[in-house]
């Protein structure tokens, strides 16, 4: 398993490294160093887990590095190291490493982020850039600004990753998590990972389509909502994870639709400006059931087709 999975993990890591490098180039020169440190920490945690469980200091698959990379790209870039390390330990030890033993598979990066949302609720929304005085300015990401003031940030600037300036002297604009910027690059990386057979596409495409349709039904700006926040990033790196989402074609489509509708409803009707954690953890919980239903429906369709041919 390790020999097969490790090249896939490091291909995914390469795609994430491109996004981290872009964020460092545009917003925070030191981000790449911190990101690399957390990725290394993920590998160290995996190696220590293997030492304690098998008596051998080795890596099982290297996938914990991907968990670390995804997690830190969905949180404030300057978040204190201690809570991030706590979240990595929880995500890798409780969710990532036991995943090959069967049972319920929860996305480990989402488990880690849920822990931060519960235990470090103030730090997880500390969207500031280096040099900003947190006591002197009020900052907002484009999606937070819309959630508070119903102001839509320029779609062109969103797509180009050019997020900055101030809004009416009340908010200084910040990009949010590194996984929220550079949507075209994220899509390109997703296509390359799909071409290499690393990520699945059905859940992610169904997620984006269902989310966009739900926004339209609720009279929300569709393109702004799709390209702000972590929608595109999640469609590639969360929905595309074949280990924690449904494996059947029908289950993947159903899971993506559920995640898209739930995420849109959370954005519209709750305190949270983003609902990725809740929507995709629901899909993780429902994945076995969705697969069973999809397989049952397919078997019924095949039986009816066989009978029609015989008759």
């Amino acid at each position: 398993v390790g020999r097969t999975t490790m090249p896939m993990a490091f291909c995914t890591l390469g795609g994430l490294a491109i996004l981290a490098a872009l964020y460092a180039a545009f917003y925070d020169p030191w981000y790449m160093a911190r990101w690399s440190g957390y990725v290394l920490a993920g590998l160290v945690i995996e190696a220590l887990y293997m030492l304690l469980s098998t008596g051998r200091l080795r890596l099982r698959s290297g996938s914990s590095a991907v968990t670390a990379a995804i997690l830190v790209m969905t949180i404030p870039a300057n978040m204190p190291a201690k809570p991030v390390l706590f979240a990595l330990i929880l995500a890798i030890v409780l969710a990532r490493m036991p995943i090959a033993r069967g049972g319920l598979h929860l996305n480990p990066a989402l488990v880690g982020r849920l822990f931060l949302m519960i235990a470090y609720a103030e730090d997880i929304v500390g969207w500031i850039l280096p040099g900003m005085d947190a006591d002197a300015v009020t900052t907002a990401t484009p999606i937070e600004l819309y959630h508070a003031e119903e102001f839509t940030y320029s779609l062109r600037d969103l797509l180009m990753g050019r997020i900055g300036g101030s809004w009416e002297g009340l908010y200084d604009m910040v990009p949010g998590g590194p996984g929220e910027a550079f949507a075209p690059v994220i899509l390109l990386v997703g296509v390359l990972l799909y071409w290499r057979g690393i990520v699945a596409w059905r859940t992610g495409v169904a997620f984006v389509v269902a989310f966009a349709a739900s926004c339209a039904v609720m009279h929300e700006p569709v393109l702004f909502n799709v390209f702000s926040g972590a929608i595109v990033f999640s469609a590639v790196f969360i929905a595309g994870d074949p280990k924690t989402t449904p494996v059947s074609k029908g289950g993947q489509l159903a899971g993506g639709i559920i995640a898209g509708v739930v995420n849109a409803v959370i954005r519209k009707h709750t305190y949270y400006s983003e609902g990725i954690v809740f929507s995709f953890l629901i899909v993780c919980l429902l994945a076995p059931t969705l697969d069973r239903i999809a397989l049952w429906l397919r078997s019924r369709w095949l039986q009816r087709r066989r009978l029609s041919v015989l008759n």
Side-chain angles (χ1 to χ4, degrees), residues 43 47 57 66-67 75-76 87 97 107 140 144 147 166 229 238 247 249 276 283 293 300 304 310:
L43 291 173
L57 186 62
V66 177
T67 295
I75 62 177
M97 296 306 293
N107 186 288
E144 286 181 318
H147 203 250
S166 65
I238 302 297
V247 296
K249 294 179 181 179
I276 296 295
V283 173
I293 293 174
R300 295 283 296 177
R304 290 181 180 179
L310 295 175

Side-chain angles (χ1 to χ4, degrees), residues 1-7 9-10 42-43 45-51 53-54 56-64 91-102 105 243:
V1 174
R3 288 191 297 272
T4 303
T5 307
M6 192 171 292
F10 281 97
L43 291 173
I45 294 170
E46 179 177 329
L48 292 176
Y49 178 94
M50 294 301 295
L51 176 63
S53 60
T54 68
R56 297 175 59 191
L57 186 62
R58 62 186 182 91
L59 295 176
R60 187 170 75 187
S61 66
S63 58
S64 294
I92 293 170
V93 172
L94 295 185
R96 168 57 69 189
M97 296 306 293
I99 201 169
R101 300 179 180 177
H105 295 170
K243 291 186 177 180

Side-chain angles (χ1 to χ4, degrees), residues 25 30 120 122 134 197 214 220 234 288:
W30 293 102
Y120 296 92
E122 185 175 347
S214 299
E220 294 290 293
S234 300

Side-chain angles (χ1 to χ4, degrees), residues 104 142 155 228 271 278 283:
L104 188 63
L155 182 61
S228 64
Y271 163 80
F278 303 107
V283 173

Side-chain angles (χ1 to χ4, degrees), residues 190-215:
V191 170
L192 293 174
L193 292 177
Y194 168 72
W195 176 67
R196 293 293 303 270
I198 296 172
V199 300
W201 65 270
R202 288 183 180 82
T203 307
V205 171
F207 165 64
V208 174
V209 171
F211 176 78
S214 299
C215 288

Side-chain angles (χ1 to χ4, degrees), residues 29 118 139 219 296:
I118 296 172
T139 60
H219 304 290
W296 179 80

